[in-house]
Amino acid sequence: MPERPVSRAKPGGSATPVSGASTPPSFTPGGTSNRPSSGGAVPVGARRPAAPGGSRAPDSRGGTPRAASGGSGASTPVGGQPITPHGGAAPRPPAPAARRRRRLYLVVAVVLVLLLAWPVGLVLWANGRLETVDALSSASNTPGTTYLLAGSDERDGAVDDDGTIGGRTDSILLLHQPTSGPAALISLPRDSYAEIPGHGGNKLNAAFAFGGAPLLVETVERLTGLTVDHYVQIGMDGIGEIVNAVGGVNLCYDHDVDDKKSKLKWKAGCHTVQGKKALAFARMRYADPEGDVGRAKRQQQLIGAVTKELARPANLWQPAQQVAIARAGTDVLTVSKGTGALDLARLGLAFRSARGDGGVTGTPPIASIDYRPGGIGSAVLLDPELTPVFFADLAAGRLAPGEYGGMPG
């Protein structure tokens, strides 16, 4: 009787003896051994016993035991990527560095949105606070952009030496940005003799008293030949509020002053002052040897000092400070219809350019500071021959950078 093949299956295993097989089932038909290694070998299809405490038994090859899979149904081979029950690779959880990068990108995106939204919101808010007036004329446009700035001093019941009552303009500034050439900031002495439409010859600031902003604009356009694109009226009392909002300004004057009318007390030199004293500095003229011309220079100096403070980075990056400045500015400004906060920003840039080394400042050519035509007291007479040429060159951007005009002689 032939000898029966001896089965190599162990009790409890899944393998069954094969009757009459000449090739042990632990070998493949190609002759490659699939036999488990000795020492803790597990028959084909059998589960390796779990180690006490729920951990897996050490691998027979000395490898690190595999962690038991959780409820996800994925297993993790030694040193490999997690495997899903369907045989595919399970996605790895994001690395800590990748998560940090995503959070950083999100923070940067939020900051950029706020940086863009804040100035837009501030501009819209400021536009809503601006008081407007129908000030511009119907004159034909002239090249470049022309701003007329008037410092109004509306003291009810005040009577000037020309007999006009009520609102006055303490300062009249013409700012022109030509299409090419340097920006120009020219002070028009308020006592300049000018032809006022419908009222004849008088001091320039009387136009404001007679007809407000529209008549002042029309008078300046006739005097200069330039069409005004934007009118900006600044309440002189509000100048102090703006100075206080920027934390004070540094001003210089080379004479000692004790002026009863403006109430300015000044020791020769440069001083950092707050709103009330800055306003007196801009108003004083009777104690100034140059009179109205000297006052025009100091008014330019004050506005230049405020502009410089407004441009400081500390003000640009402090939202609370920006709101305080915008509130103070819009409280004291009246602008022509169609003029908004962005136009005021462009005005500030043009003003800064004109006050810089490459700009044009000063007054028109002056023939006399004590012109007395009768009935209006002492006036400033602009040179009738040089003034038209001066404004034509200014409009065309032909003036070389520097200071012009000033006291005659």
Side-chain angles (χ1 to χ4, degrees):
M1 183 174 180
E3 185 177 333
R4 292 181 63 186
V6 179
S7 173
R8 295 180 181 273
K10 291 185 179 182
S14 62
T16 57
V18 180
S19 174
S22 59
T23 303
S26 57
F27 288 86
T28 63
T32 304
S33 174
N34 283 334
R35 181 182 299 170
S37 60
S38 60
V42 180
V44 176
R47 292 180 179 275
R48 188 181 300 275
S55 62
R56 303 295 297 269
D59 191 278
S60 61
R61 293 164 293 182
T64 304
R66 294 176 297 173
S69 62
S72 64
S75 59
T76 306
V78 177
Q81 188 170 351
I83 305 299
T84 66
H86 304 290
R92 289 182 181 274
R99 289 196 297 269
R100 286 195 296 270
R101 282 196 298 271
R102 282 201 291 268
R103 285 197 295 267
L104 177 61
Y105 296 153
L106 179 60
V107 170
V108 171
V110 171
V111 170
L112 288 176
V113 169
L114 291 176
L115 287 177
L116 292 173
W118 171 253
V120 173
L122 187 64
V123 168
L124 293 175
W125 176 76
N127 274 337
R129 290 176 54 84
L130 284 172
E131 185 178 345
T132 60
V133 61
D134 191 6
L136 303 183
S137 72
S138 57
S140 300
N141 290 333
T142 49
T145 304
T146 303
Y147 305 85
L148 179 61
L149 293 81
S152 66
D153 187 17
E154 298 185 6
R155 290 170 283 189
D156 294 338
V159 181
D160 203 40
D161 54 6
D162 58 6
T164 55
I165 302 174
R168 316 298 301 170
T169 49
D170 265 6
S171 58
I172 305 172
L173 300 174
L174 190 74
L175 176 62
H176 181 68
Q177 179 68 68
T179 53
S180 64
L185 178 65
I186 303 301
S187 292
L188 302 177
R190 73 166 202 167
D191 289 344
S192 299
Y193 185 78
E195 287 293 325
I196 300 176
H199 297 273
N202 209 316
K203 295 179 181 179
L204 181 58
N205 72 340
F208 187 85
F210 292 146
L215 186 57
L216 177 64
V217 168
E218 187 178 357
T219 303
V220 169
E221 287 178 342
R222 288 195 178 191
L223 177 67
T224 65
L226 292 166
T227 298
V228 174
D229 299 296
H230 300 283
Y231 171 80
V232 179
Q233 181 177 314
I234 309 169
M236 290 302 293
D237 288 338
I239 289 289
E241 296 178 24
I242 298 176
V243 170
N244 289 336
V246 299
V249 293
N250 188 258
L251 302 173
C252 301
Y253 187 62
D254 293 334
H255 303 280
D256 292 339
V257 176
D258 186 1
D259 184 54
K260 292 182 180 180
K261 289 199 172 184
S262 66
K263 299 181 181 179
L264 176 66
K265 293 185 178 181
W266 190 272
K267 188 170 182 60
C270 298
H271 307 282
T272 298
V273 299
Q274 296 301 314
K276 187 175 181 179
K277 196 163 189 175
L279 178 59
F281 182 89
R283 278 178 167 164
M284 186 270 293
R285 67 166 174 158
Y286 289 101
D288 190 329
E290 295 185 342
D292 201 31
V293 174
R295 176 169 60 178
K297 292 179 180 178
R298 281 180 280 105
Q299 288 169 348
Q300 281 199 19
Q301 183 186 162
L302 173 59
I303 298 176
V306 171
T307 304
K308 181 179 178 180
E309 291 298 324
L310 290 174
R312 288 189 182 277
N315 290 325
L316 298 177
W317 292 103
Q318 294 184 26
Q321 183 75 347
Q322 291 175 4
V323 171
I325 292 171
R327 186 185 300 278
T330 53
D331 280 345
V332 302
L333 294 179
T334 300
V335 300
S336 53
K337 289 183 178 179
T339 297
L342 289 179
D343 297 303
L344 296 179
R346 296 187 188 100
L347 182 154
L349 293 175
F351 191 100
R352 188 176 182 184
S353 176
R355 291 277 301 175
D357 293 336
V360 173
T361 59
T363 69
I366 295 174
S368 172
I369 62 170
D370 191 24
Y371 177 61
R372 296 180 178 272
I376 62 171
S378 176
V380 173
L381 179 64
L382 302 182
D383 193 299
E385 295 182 0
L386 299 180
T387 296
V389 177
F390 171 80
F391 281 118
D393 289 341
L394 181 148
R398 292 192 294 263
L399 293 178
E403 185 174 357
Y404 289 79
M407 294 292 288

